[in-house]
Amino acid sequence: MRKIKYGYICLHFLLLIVLFPLSAFSEQPVVIIEADVLNVRSEPWGTRVGRVYYGQQFKVMEHKDEWGLITFEPGKNGWISLDYAVPYKASSPSVSIQDYCSELNREFDNISWKDIRCRPDEWKSGGASVKGRPLLYREYNGKGPSTTLLFCSVHSDESTSYHCFRLNNLLHEKPELLKNRLIIVPLLNPDGFLLDHKTRINANGIDLNRNLPSSDWQRLAIHAWVNQYNSDPRRNPGPAPNSEPENRFLIDLIIKYQPDKIISIHSPLNFLDLDFLEQPSDDQNLKQVSRKAVSLATEISENSKFHYRNYNTFPGSLGRYGDELRIPIFTLELPDENPALAESYYERLEDSMVHSFNVILDELKNGGGNGKEKLKKTNKNLSLAEPAENAEKN
């Protein structure tokens, strides 16, 4: 009897693995919601405690028949019917990391970035781009409790991958500079980068920073694209939220590593923006993290002389999506897209970036002042030109 029961349990487990394969990073299955709106319940067939939306991606922590337990909001767990979700498994690259690095190094030489190299042995692949190129990442394991996710080249016409590769060079040579864990994604949109004329969009013609599955994507993303941007192809949010493999890779990283903060480098609006707690919250811990995040943003601004301002987020953007995850998003907008200027901007940023990786937001001293007042003082003291009011954050 015991052998029969044991065999049944093993068979059931194998079926779960087949139906819900492990993601590239997570030790538990990850699924993507396929219903427009899906109720989250207190238990299988229990009362509704929340909702999730099409395209959103979750780790399934426990199974009961056709039900799965997920974290649907920070600190809140509930059960969803897996009949309305599909398993996520990252596709395997058709291009090897070695061949991809060779492609990148040739392009670095073409644009005179001869002080950075892509070395295959330093990177891992977490999936494939639309055209089968590996989506690279690297994990630095500092001993501290904090985790930062840094990524570049969401829009590959913005010459920001230089900064991630150059920071990787520095930390590879001097790992002792890091006190905490850092995850680097040096080039989120490789297909757009490896073109004669680099593009903001990926190989499917989608703006990755309008395609993330914020809860308002279905309601607002297409409407905003058509009515605010006159269906500009460079800002196409895609046919559905989280339709692009590059974004599914990025979310898979977030699910695995649960970063305390995310830093994304863009250009050319010439400021530093912090997105966090756009919606009011009564959670005192979140308010405290928000104040400390503002303190870190002002420190980066003061040290690197990048103007700090609070800017809007957009449906499907990382800022909007990160706010829902309650993760502070630091978006650094460089002043110019010209690749010839990348080195000078990096020199301005290096110390501030390393400092930001080592900051633990829960331990950062607020300096006794109000974060917004400190921001006003910082902005008053900086002499950099204010971006145009109608400029759109990337």
Side-chain angles (χ1 to χ4, degrees):
M1 183 68 180
R2 288 182 180 176
K3 290 182 179 179
I4 294 173
K5 186 175 181 182
Y6 178 77
Y8 172 79
I9 291 172
C10 289
L11 177 61
H12 185 66
F13 178 77
L14 288 172
L15 284 172
L16 288 177
I17 294 298
V18 171
L19 292 174
F20 297 99
L22 302 185
S23 74
F25 309 114
S26 175
E27 295 178 355
Q28 295 170 306
V30 169
V31 296
I32 298 177
I33 304 302
E34 279 211 320
D36 287 343
V37 182
L38 182 60
N39 289 328
V40 183
R41 300 191 178 276
S42 57
E43 58 185 355
W45 302 110
T47 57
R48 191 182 78 190
V49 294
R51 289 178 172 174
V52 292
Y53 299 89
Y54 191 96
Q56 292 186 334
Q57 198 165 316
F58 299 99
K59 178 171 63 176
V60 178
M61 300 176 289
E62 185 179 339
H63 286 89
K64 287 185 181 179
D65 298 323
E66 74 274 23
W67 293 85
L69 179 67
I70 64 169
T71 299
F72 66 95
E73 290 180 11
K76 294 182 180 180
N77 295 340
W79 294 85
I80 58 169
S81 171
L82 295 175
D83 289 339
Y84 301 95
V86 294
Y88 167 68
K89 183 173 176 58
S91 56
S92 299
S94 58
V95 178
S96 70
I97 294 180
Q98 183 170 353
D99 287 346
Y100 174 51
C101 278
S102 295
E103 267 192 297
L104 287 178
N105 289 333
R106 286 193 295 271
E107 184 58 24
F108 293 161
D109 289 340
N110 286 340
I111 56 180
S112 298
W113 287 354
K114 297 185 179 182
D115 55 342
I116 61 170
R117 294 290 94 179
C118 178
R119 291 178 284 268
D121 60 322
E122 295 178 4
W123 301 99
K124 295 179 180 178
S125 171
S129 70
V130 173
K131 292 197 171 182
R133 293 183 172 101
L135 297 169
L136 302 182
Y137 74 101
R138 183 171 185 178
E139 177 182 358
Y140 284 93
N141 283 308
K143 296 180 180 180
S146 180
T147 298
T148 302
L149 172 60
L150 168 71
F151 65 100
C152 296
S153 201
V154 177
H155 300 141
S156 288
D157 58 353
E158 295 176 354
S159 299
T160 60
S161 55
Y162 176 91
H163 299 78
C164 279
F165 278 104
R166 181 82 182 269
L167 278 164
N168 175 67
N169 288 350
L170 172 70
L171 298 173
H172 181 78
E173 294 172 2
K174 299 180 179 180
E176 68 277 6
L177 293 175
L178 279 180
K179 297 178 182 177
N180 297 302
R181 182 164 61 180
L182 171 68
I183 313 300
I184 298 180
V185 178
L187 213 172
L188 187 65
N189 182 7
D191 299 337
F193 183 79
L194 289 166
L195 290 172
D196 291 338
H197 300 287
K198 294 175 175 40
T199 62
R200 175 186 175 98
I201 53 180
N202 75 346
N204 281 336
I206 308 303
D207 182 347
L208 297 176
N209 205 32
R210 296 294 181 273
N211 181 251
L212 287 162
S214 57
S215 60
D216 60 0
W217 194 99
Q218 293 181 94
R219 183 167 52 90
L220 296 177
I222 299 295
H223 181 271
W225 179 49
V226 171
N227 292 281
Q228 291 182 319
Y229 309 128
N230 297 315
S231 301
D232 178 1
R234 297 180 71 252
R235 291 176 172 80
N236 182 358
N242 201 23
S243 62
E244 303 312 295
E246 296 89 351
N247 277 343
R248 294 182 179 192
F249 154 75
L250 181 62
I251 295 173
D252 208 19
L253 276 176
I254 293 171
I255 289 173
K256 174 179 172 62
Y257 290 107
Q258 297 291 299
D260 305 287
K261 55 184 175 294
I262 297 176
I263 301 173
S264 179
I265 304 181
H266 285 264
S267 66
L269 300 185
N270 193 19
F271 59 76
L272 170 67
D273 177 46
L274 169 64
D275 295 316
F276 187 61
L277 284 186
E278 226 174 55
Q279 302 301 320
S281 173
D282 294 328
D283 187 317
Q284 293 303 312
N285 181 60
L286 287 177
K287 288 183 176 181
Q288 180 71 355
V289 171
S290 182
R291 286 193 292 269
K292 293 173 180 177
V294 168
S295 293
L296 174 58
T298 54
E299 285 182 17
I300 295 172
S301 175
E302 289 167 350
N303 291 336
S304 62
K305 299 298 184 289
F306 279 99
H307 194 78
Y308 171 34
R309 63 177 298 184
N310 187 16
Y311 209 71
N312 294 330
T313 61
F314 303 88
S317 68
L318 178 66
R320 184 74 56 91
Y321 182 65
D323 183 66
E324 294 178 1
L325 297 180
R326 294 297 188 255
I327 301 175
I329 309 293
F330 297 81
T331 303
L332 180 59
E333 288 274 354
L334 304 177
D336 200 297
E337 298 170 344
N338 185 349
L341 300 175
E343 182 178 2
S344 64
Y345 296 149
Y346 174 83
E347 298 296 338
R348 230 168 111 180
L349 282 170
E350 183 181 272
D351 290 344
S352 296
M353 286 293 96
V354 174
H355 170 69
S356 69
F357 305 150
N358 290 329
V359 165
I360 303 170
L361 291 182
D362 283 344
E363 295 180 0
L364 185 63
K365 302 301 181 184
N366 194 34
N370 180 285
K372 290 185 178 179
E373 290 303 316
K374 189 173 182 181
L375 168 60
K376 289 178 182 177
K377 182 178 178 181
T378 301
N379 287 346
K380 183 177 179 181
N381 289 340
L382 292 179
S383 60
L384 294 176
E386 183 83 8
E389 286 302 322
N390 62 354
E392 180 188 314
K393 190 184 72 176
N394 284 286

